[in-house]
Amino acid sequence: MESHALDTSLRWIVLVPLLGAALNGLLLRRMPRRAAGLLACAAVGASFLLSVAAVVRLAGLEPHHRLLADSLGTWLDIAGVRVELGFAMDQLSAVMALVVTGVGFLIHVYSLGYMAHDPGFNRFFTYLNLFIFAMMMLVLGENLVMLFVGWEGVGLCSYLLISFWFNEEANAAAGKKAFIVNRIGDFGFLLGMFVLGAALLPHLGGGEGVFSFRTIAAHTHELAPWATAIALLLFLGATGKSAQIPLYVWLPDAMAGPTPVSALIHAATMVTAGVYMIARMNMVYVLSPTAMTVVAVVGAVTALFAATIALTQNDIKKVLAYSTVSQLGYMMLACGVGAFAAGIFHVMTHAFFKALLFLGAGSVIHAMSGEQDMRLMGGLRRKLPVTWPTFLIGTVALAGVFPFAGFFSKDEILWKAFSEGNPGLWVVGFLGAGLTAFYMMRLVVLTFFGDNRASEEVRHHVHESPATMTVPLVILAALSVVGGWLGWPHFLGGANRFEQWLAPVFEAGAGGHGADAAHGAAAHGAATHAAASTEWLLAAASLSLALLGLYAGYRAYVGRATLAGKLHAFAGGRPHRVLLNKYYVDEGYEASLVRPGYALSDRVLFRAVDTGLIDGLLVNGTALLVSITSALLRLFQNGKLRFYAYVFALGAAAFVLYLALTI
Amino acid sequence: MGLTHYLALAAALFLVGMAGVLIRRNSLIVFMSIEIMLSATNIVFAAYSRLHGDLAGHVFVLMVFAVAAAEAAIGLAILVEIHRLRRSVNVDDLNTLME
């Protein structure tokens, strides 16, 4: 018998948000707004409480048998392909479940205030609940297929929510872009799944679900020859979902949705799915050094690349969007160097402070009557007494200042990159961290310092947001401060409980990194001691860099003579322009893929194939053939009796002739 | 005079009748040509009846006569009516079958 505890509450963690969405969206469409909003919040809140209860039960189990399972039965059992409609919670799912439902709940509450005057209020909360449902399905799915269903679900929900204000052409286009770019990634994901299934099926006994994570973990030996292909294809899916190079382009555009959506997508749910998936599939990834290298390099490059773009953006949400892309790069970098626990740690802390920053930005936008351009903000410190300090906490947390949450997770990643023998990746990540501090300070200065540059009318209306919005900000700010302490590292005298907690999940593959942590520093003696001094050095370096970045950002933008002007003057403004236009990547895609695609569909598919071949030759051609034939046949039906008789006689003669010749 | 001669005569008459039906325009002539074709068949019936010493052929001849007579009566009546309506019995003018 399997050593796991049955726990039927898992299904309710997933299904309660679905129930909320169904009630709100299908049954009670005319429900008053307050009730709809509260129902949605209650659904997620219940899901959160159930998750907490489940995690408590999980923690009560013996560390190496920590697994709760629930099954609604067998979904598929065709030709040896067996898929359970099952849920499972291990240490990794537990972290994700708490983050998704917890941060998700705060975002729901915040939305009550933020969306209060929106005519699509009920629809909004239906989508939000559906989003949480899909994400929980992804996180708690017992096998890759369930994960994929959730994966597609969050894709759908992101489409619905990004183009929530669909009356604007740009919003609809952004939703479409998110959906299509993600489809490209999902194509890779599916292929990866197929390869995995094909590689695994011949080796399975009866009753084993082929895509079940436990089955995969138990058969890594058979998977080894295919690991690179599987890992890379799945990673393509992850680059789509988690907005890595080359498929990150949808995420900045996703800012078109309402701000709570940005917070939800960016912080807690969708974009972390790629990181979660790679961590979940760690037993396959560690089989392939090639794939690991690709993941690490793509992550590191994305981290730096996106950070440089964030330097020049003027839309407050766009800066945060590129920052998310960059931070996701760090998470990928962590996975790529085998530090899955550090990656998930960053997922968690990032969820706290990025949700905080987005919701704070939402609060600013709310105060500025919908203005998002930072060039028209400024001086909001005194006007927003709650938003301002919480936003500052989020900023220093993201910049990685000790002892805020971001410091622990980001430093853990950089340290792992360095200690796993990749000083190059460390340098890239290190530079990215400095840029992060800089652009975040730029954002803070442009928004909260100096004089207000908005129009008289807007300035008159500036006000702090209602309590439904500020309370989540305060809670998230608190989490952004203390959230990182779970992973207080050894070199600072902690035990890194977070890594210990996750260790059993990554033990199988990670070549014992997890085990190292689990055994604690004492087991390592001198080697650990030497490493610790290097770790001290690196941490000090990155802390100094973060502070330097913050200071530079402050100096460069405070006052009237902004750095933007100076940058503009530098080298004729060309570097600035390149950054401002995001390296022309969108334009490149437009020219190399989108426009040829349009040309192909217009000229070849539409004009040649559709109108030419199908309409012209096949449809109208058939009609033409029939009409020609009938025109010929009409000649015979002339009503002239003698002609009929003549034909008749000819026929008779032919018949006689035939008889004469054959007999 | 063998069977062949009778059959040859019948074939010749039939062809003459057929040619008349196909070529002539006057409906009356067409009618008469049909009668010729019927007569040709009668000759065949009579010849074979004689050959086999069987009366059935003669009976058929009588029946063909009867049918031909009936046809002539009805056909002439139709023709008279057509002529009354159209002032023509030219078969080329009678193409209402087309409609």
Side-chain angles (χ1 to χ4, degrees), chain A residues 637-639 641-642 645-646, chain B residues 21-24 92 94-95 98:
Chain A
Q637 198 207 2
N638 55 10
L641 209 52
R642 281 191 311 139
Y646 181 70
Chain B
V21 169
L22 295 182
I23 291 164
R24 299 303 294 261
D92 285 350
L94 307 178
N95 59 355
M98 189 167 74

Side-chain angles (χ1 to χ4, degrees), chain A residues 438-491:
Chain A
F438 184 83
Y439 68 67
M440 281 314 296
M441 202 59 199
R442 169 177 177 266
L443 190 157
V444 167
V445 170
L446 288 181
T447 311
F448 293 103
F449 286 79
D451 302 322
N452 196 298
R453 299 175 291 276
S455 67
E456 189 59 48
E457 195 191 354
V458 172
R459 217 178 315 164
H460 188 67
H461 282 119
V462 172
H463 59 282
E464 182 58 287
S465 307
T468 44
M469 288 165 72
T470 50
V471 170
L473 286 180
V474 172
I475 297 173
L476 284 169
L479 286 170
S480 301
V481 178
V482 301
W485 298 355
L486 282 172
W488 199 284
H490 301 296
F491 80 103

Side-chain angles (χ1 to χ4, degrees), chain A residues 82 106 113 118 166 168-169 253 353 380 588 623 641 645 660:
Chain A
R82 188 185 155 88
L106 294 176
D118 197 279
F166 53 83
E168 296 286 327
E169 178 80 31
D253 285 27
F353 52 71
L380 295 176
L641 209 52

Side-chain angles (χ1 to χ4, degrees), chain A residues 278-301:
Chain A
I278 290 179
R280 175 54 75 205
M281 296 295 287
N282 67 83
M283 59 282 195
V284 176
Y285 275 85
V286 291
L287 294 173
S288 166
T290 319
M292 291 292 269
T293 310
V294 170
V295 174
V297 169
V298 168
V301 172

